[in-house]
Amino acid sequence: KAGVTQTPRYLIKTRGQQVTLSCSPISGHRSVSWYQQTPGQGLQFLFEYFSETQRNKGNFPGRFSGRQFSNSRSEMNVSTLELGDSALYLCASSLEQQARADTQYFGPGTRLTVL
Amino acid sequence: AQKVTQAQTEISVVEKEDVTLDCVYETRDTTYYLFWYKQPPSGELVFLIRRNSFDEQNEISGRYSWNFQKSTSSFNFTITASQVVDSAVYFCALSEAQEDTGRRALTFGSGTRLQVQP
């Protein structure tokens, strides 16, 4: 079974631009979560989507948004990019058979550089 | 609020040495899950193990073993006879219920970079 895939793998943008990242979960997985990884702040939870609805959200500004499609694929969008948004963005999917026992499986990430 | 502490920033060992990575957590939940992930240079987080708060039995998987002790809020990870391929950053993570939605997000420690020298 294919793992979590993320596109693109690398992205370079300039301040003020907006960006959209894509994530395809493992087949059959219905929950998708997004995390930001930076050297200073480490791994931080952005948001989680399930059945096309945002179910949980971390402490990030409104410039960060996402959505999930009916096939469970997810996108996240960052508007008005800032230098501090440079990071590795990781997507994770989970099965959701037993909510409390879910293991999140991660994709390879999208490395975003903001110049 | 939940918190995960990995006090060891970087560890360097020589191949075939045993190494233990420490993880200490804080949570108010009685039901929670603990995880270990490995992040090689490629960047992808690789799932290693999940442990629920009601199961304190230690686990061994090949050269890997985990020691979960609720009394000290620790979930330590030992690699026996380390190999160069074990070089990576290892993250400990905690999952507990979100009070408002009941959903969970992973709280990660800061990671321990393990360098295994040949």
Side-chain angles (χ1 to χ4, degrees):
Chain A
K1 188 182 277 191
V4 178
T5 58
Q6 292 186 245
T7 56
R9 293 293 310 280
Y10 302 92
L11 208 48
I12 299 176
K13 292 286 188 179
T14 56
R15 277 183 301 175
Q17 288 187 309
Q18 67 95 25
V19 67
T20 299
L21 313 181
S22 181
C23 171
S24 291
I26 292 171
S27 178
H29 284 196
R30 299 189 296 163
S31 170
V32 173
S33 297
W34 289 88
Y35 293 83
Q36 181 198 63
Q37 185 177 23
T38 60
Q41 300 299 316
L43 278 154
Q44 294 185 289
F45 171 73
L46 279 158
F47 28 64
E48 183 218 359
Y49 285 87
F50 178 78
S51 291
E52 302 178 62
T53 301
Q54 185 181 90
R55 196 160 59 169
N56 197 2
K57 190 176 189 305
N59 294 324
F60 278 82
R63 300 185 297 106
F64 291 82
S65 63
R67 59 177 175 168
Q68 186 180 35
F69 302 94
S70 58
N71 61 358
S72 294
R73 191 176 69 84
S74 177
E75 290 180 346
M76 69 163 280
N77 185 277
V78 188
S79 62
T80 320
L81 284 166
E82 301 177 0
L83 295 178
D85 297 332
S86 294
L88 180 66
Y89 290 88
L90 291 160
C91 167
S93 73
S94 56
L95 188 58
E96 292 296 297
Q97 273 192 335
Q98 290 181 351
R100 284 176 173 246
D102 279 352
T103 292
Q104 295 185 28
Y105 296 91
F106 285 80
T110 294
R111 185 163 297 281
L112 171 65
T113 301
V114 182
L115 303 177
Chain B
Q2 60 208 48
K3 184 179 178 182
V4 177
T5 301
Q6 294 181 257
Q8 303 153 309
T9 304
E10 187 161 348
I11 300 175
S12 183
V13 299
V14 177
E15 212 171 14
K16 297 185 183 177
E17 283 186 24
D18 297 347
V19 58
T20 295
L21 310 182
D22 297 333
C23 173
V24 175
Y25 62 92
E26 296 175 28
T27 178
R28 291 175 296 186
D29 265 10
T30 55
T31 301
Y32 52 88
Y33 289 82
L34 294 162
F35 301 81
W36 276 94
Y37 286 89
K38 173 183 179 180
Q39 188 175 42
S42 60
E44 180 174 347
L45 282 170
V46 178
F47 166 72
L48 296 177
I49 190 172
R50 178 188 70 217
R51 211 17 138 221
N52 76 54
S53 52
F54 297 108
D55 183 3
E56 288 193 70
Q57 196 169 17
N58 291 331
E59 182 157 337
I60 298 174
S61 176
R63 297 184 297 106
Y64 295 170
S65 62
W66 290 269
N67 182 2
F68 176 30
Q69 292 195 332
K70 284 180 76 171
S71 60
T72 57
S73 297
S74 65
F75 186 42
N76 297 337
F77 172 32
T78 297
I79 301 174
T80 302
S82 59
Q83 300 176 1
V84 173
V85 293
D86 295 327
S87 297
V89 180
Y90 291 85
F91 290 93
C92 180
L94 167 68
S95 174
E96 62 179 26
Q98 298 290 321
E99 289 183 5
D100 50 354
T101 65
R103 292 309 309 136
R104 296 172 175 271
L106 288 172
T107 296
F108 285 89
S110 55
T112 297
R113 181 178 299 277
L114 174 64
Q115 297 267 20
V116 181
Q117 309 290 344

